[in-house]
Amino acid sequence: MKTILITGTSSGIGKATAKKFLNAGWNVIATMRSPEKEEELKNSNAMLVMKLEVTDMNSIQKAIDAGIEKFGKIDALMNNAGFGTFGAFETATQKQVEELFNVNVYGYLNVTRAILPHFRENGKGTLLNVSSQGGRITFPTCSLYHATKFAIEGFTESLSYELISENIEVKIIEPGATDTSFVGSANMGENDSIINYQKFDKIALETYGKLNEKSQSTSDEIAEVILEAANDKSGQLRYIIGEDTKRLLNARNTMTDQEYVDYMRGTYIPEFWDKKINTSI
């Protein structure tokens, strides 16, 4: 029986994936910041719920060690813990910027670094990094979030070349809009002294919501693709999820760079883009 360690399983994609792998016959090490609050995932001998802070190497190592002690070995790691900050970059505080990169980027690097010696010792392993469509395309008001996801895309793609030498599979998961209320629960900029962006932020986020509400993937649908990726030995690197992701990546791949940028401006911030065009004429 194979074993997977998953970060960020308290809700959303992480929790759905933990259930999916358990039902598929895997042992699951479900990690989260507050395991004492979790009840649903504790009802199986094949499930180990552990505390894990992706910014704390001691916490990470304890979760890995406990998983190995209970199940004998770990076959796969899914880096999933993360959050988004939406709003104009200038309105974000330094604390917000650091917290976002500490979790979304350094957190992935920390857990990956901790598990690789075990994978090498086993002579194999699978690394699944949950990125986003936002790791390859961008939207207004998401500059900081995109910075973290572009970093994960570059890190993971390059790492995939390195780890071929160690027989370690590497996968990038790229969901689009989801039903996890990710945008609604995300932190907006905290610098209230800057009011210039308020109208832009409001209109851009409302437009994003309207354009993507009909193409949202469920957490269960995303979890199904992640399970397929974990079992896929074809060497495939990226797994695209959602009609919105497919549509936008197709646009990016078939248009010239400037055509694509103008398309996104006209689609997601038409009020501001049209005004700029008209005043430039």
Side-chain angles (χ1 to χ4, degrees):
M1 183 180 291
K2 291 185 177 181
T3 300
I4 184 170
L5 187 151
I6 306 172
T7 67
T9 60
S10 60
S11 63
I13 295 170
K15 176 170 277 191
T17 304
K19 293 178 184 177
K20 184 71 68 174
F21 275 76
L22 181 68
N23 292 334
W26 287 58
N27 297 316
V28 178
I29 307 161
T31 72
M32 60 192 71
R33 297 175 65 185
S34 303
E36 67 278 2
K37 297 178 181 179
E38 178 57 47
E39 296 297 335
E40 189 177 1
L41 298 180
K42 292 183 176 180
N43 299 320
S44 171
N45 290 330
M47 179 80 71
L48 175 64
V49 177
M50 289 291 299
K51 179 179 178 65
L52 189 153
E53 292 268 5
V54 297
T55 58
D56 180 353
M57 291 302 295
N58 288 331
S59 167
I60 295 167
Q61 195 60 54
K62 285 181 180 179
I64 291 173
D65 291 344
I68 295 171
E69 182 178 357
K70 181 174 176 61
F71 299 122
K73 65 183 175 67
I74 299 173
D75 300 279
L77 164 66
M78 173 180 155
N79 279 312
N80 167 71
F83 68 98
T85 297
F86 294 81
F89 165 70
E90 192 182 355
T91 66
T93 65
Q94 184 63 23
K95 180 181 179 182
Q96 274 188 305
V97 175
E98 291 176 357
E99 287 180 346
L100 188 67
F101 273 81
N102 282 340
V103 174
N104 288 15
V105 180
Y106 295 123
Y108 276 46
L109 272 60
N110 290 341
V111 184
T112 301
R113 182 185 291 112
I115 199 69
L116 285 180
H118 180 66
F119 283 174
R120 286 192 291 103
E121 182 181 352
N122 292 339
K124 60 181 178 180
T126 300
L127 172 65
L128 302 122
N129 279 347
V130 178
S131 177
S132 165
Q133 63 177 210
R136 291 210 280 165
I137 54 178
T138 66
F139 298 101
T141 76
C142 307
S143 54
L144 283 173
Y145 177 72
H146 288 307
T148 66
K149 290 304 181 182
F150 268 65
I152 291 302
E153 290 272 344
F155 164 69
T156 310
E157 182 175 309
S158 181
L159 187 67
S160 73
Y161 303 142
E162 298 173 22
L163 295 182
I164 288 174
S165 67
E166 306 304 316
N167 195 34
I168 298 172
E169 300 266 354
V170 178
K171 316 283 185 176
I172 304 175
I173 311 300
E174 296 177 337
T178 71
D179 63 352
T180 61
S181 70
F182 183 71
V183 173
S185 63
N187 300 320
M188 296 297 290
E190 293 179 353
N191 191 343
D192 295 331
S193 65
I194 303 176
I195 63 173
N196 302 57
Y197 299 104
Q198 289 179 358
K199 180 180 179 181
F200 178 88
D201 285 350
K202 183 175 185 296
I203 291 176
L205 281 169
E206 286 178 351
T207 303
Y208 174 86
K210 290 176 182 176
L211 289 173
N212 291 287
E213 64 181 351
K214 293 183 179 179
S215 57
Q216 290 181 341
S217 300
T218 67
S219 296
D220 192 63
E221 288 170 339
I222 295 168
E224 183 64 37
V225 175
I226 294 171
L227 178 62
E228 292 172 3
N231 290 313
D232 184 5
K233 302 303 180 184
S234 70
Q236 181 174 334
L237 176 63
R238 287 183 169 87
Y239 297 78
I240 300 168
I241 307 173
E243 292 304 315
D244 56 328
T245 309
K246 295 172 184 177
R247 181 182 71 251
L248 290 169
L249 285 176
N250 181 65
R252 172 130 240 180
N253 292 332
T254 56
M255 297 178 180
T256 67
D257 187 66
Q258 190 58 49
E259 286 173 343
Y260 171 78
V261 171
D262 289 344
Y263 162 74
M264 293 296 286
R265 288 165 170 169
T267 301
Y268 287 91
I269 50 169
E271 179 174 338
F272 299 92
W273 180 235
D274 291 346
K275 181 179 179 181
K276 176 176 174 56
I277 292 176
N278 291 333
T279 55
S280 299
I281 297 175

